[in-house]
Amino acid sequence: MISKSKRGLILILSSPSGAGKTTLAKKIQDSDSNFKISISYTTRTPRPNEIDGVDYNFVDVNKFQELSNQNKFLEQAKVFGNYYGTLKGPIEDSLVQGKDYLFDIDWQGTEQVKKIMPLDIVPVFILPPSIIDLENRLKKREEKNKELIDQRMKMAKDEINHWKDYKYVVVNKEVENCFEQITKIIKIERELRSTFN
Ligand code: 5GP
């Protein structure tokens, strides 16, 4: 049982596409009911298995711009030509109530949240075991769309360049082991917070 601090924390998971971040995020949420996963807004087209309001809130560019103009986003970024953003919504209230948040966002979003809420975040970068391994995972997911895979690999290399800006870096060689390491990080960060909260 992980000890709880008073104020919640924001676990940020960043990684290149295909490094297993979504699976890890689900495992964390399933194993720890104190975590809420922030559902981002995006202008990207849904993938076949994705559900609106569950995986993302899928919106068009006009709606995204409207939310942005209304200053509704805590952070936002353009990734792969699509917009992504995290709504401020109830985040601060939840943290005050001791609830934790999980953000699956890229390095650009992490930089923004780092400036706004430096003490609340626990930034974790998930690395694939190798570039070849990542390419194989993407091939499985994107099947025969070579252009998309090439584009994702280029983006992956750009994203990986930012691993050193994160407090923690975990290699996802084997999902259970990676999950265990993240669980340890959460435990340590909660303990650290409970000493000064
Ligand atoms: P995908 O399209 O593969 O789901 O996500 C592409 C990238 O966008 C991933 O690196 C993911 O972490 C990032 N991303 C997803 N939601 C957000 C968000 O709300 N803000 C930011 N900055 N990045 C996001």
Side-chain angles (χ1 to χ4, degrees), residues 17 21 40 44 47 56 75 84-86 104-106 152:
S17 267
K21 192 176 35 176
S40 298
R44 167 166 79 62
R47 295 192 185 114
Y56 280 105
E75 64 75 35
Y84 294 82
T86 306
D104 168 347
I105 60 175
D106 80 330
R152 294 253 166 200

Side-chain angles (χ1 to χ4, degrees), residues 8-15 20-40 54-55 74-75 85-87 91 94-95 99-106 110 113 120-124 126 179 182-183 186 190:
L9 54 78
I10 299 174
L11 177 71
I12 297 183
L13 295 185
S14 296
S15 77
K21 192 176 35 176
T22 311
T23 309
L24 287 161
K26 292 215 167 88
K27 278 180 86 66
I28 293 163
Q29 195 190 33
D30 289 349
S31 69
D32 190 330
S33 59
N34 205 54
F35 267 101
K36 285 186 183 178
I37 297 189
S38 162
I39 302 170
S40 298
V54 176
D55 299 290
L74 176 66
E75 64 75 35
T86 306
L87 274 198
I91 290 169
S94 295
L95 294 179
K99 284 271 172 202
D100 301 311
Y101 258 98
L102 195 157
F103 287 2
D104 168 347
I105 60 175
D106 80 330
T110 305
V113 187
D120 290 316
I121 59 166
V122 178
V124 179
I126 299 164
F179 169 65
I182 296 173
T183 305
I186 296 166
R190 281 181 179 158

Side-chain angles (χ1 to χ4, degrees), residues 139-160:
K139 277 182 184 158
K140 253 191 229 163
R141 190 167 85 184
E142 312 288 0
E143 293 185 1
K144 294 193 172 58
N145 194 337
K146 188 171 175 328
E147 201 183 320
L148 195 61
I149 293 164
D150 289 349
Q151 194 189 25
R152 294 253 166 200
M153 283 307 292
K154 190 191 166 300
M155 283 296 302
K157 286 173 189 163
D158 290 346
E159 182 80 21
I160 286 172

Side-chain angles (χ1 to χ4, degrees), residues 30-99:
D30 289 349
S31 69
D32 190 330
S33 59
N34 205 54
F35 267 101
K36 285 186 183 178
I37 297 189
S38 162
I39 302 170
S40 298
Y41 277 69
T42 185
T43 59
R44 167 166 79 62
T45 312
R47 295 192 185 114
N49 57 337
E50 287 179 328
I51 302 168
D52 187 26
V54 176
D55 299 290
Y56 280 105
N57 293 299
F58 294 99
V59 291
D60 60 21
V61 177
N62 285 344
K63 178 68 187 171
F64 193 94
Q65 287 300 353
E66 188 186 313
L67 292 167
S68 175
N69 293 342
Q70 290 166 349
N71 200 22
K72 292 268 167 70
F73 290 122
L74 176 66
E75 64 75 35
Q76 64 185 85
K78 197 173 182 187
V79 187
F80 262 141
N82 296 307
Y83 293 99
Y84 294 82
T86 306
L87 274 198
K88 287 179 192 163
I91 290 169
E92 177 58 29
D93 286 350
S94 295
L95 294 179
V96 169
Q97 287 160 23
K99 284 271 172 202

Side-chain angles (χ1 to χ4, degrees), residues 120-135:
D120 290 316
I121 59 166
V122 178
V124 179
F125 198 91
I126 299 164
L127 279 174
S130 68
I131 288 288
I132 300 283
D133 184 273
L134 184 71
E135 195 166 356

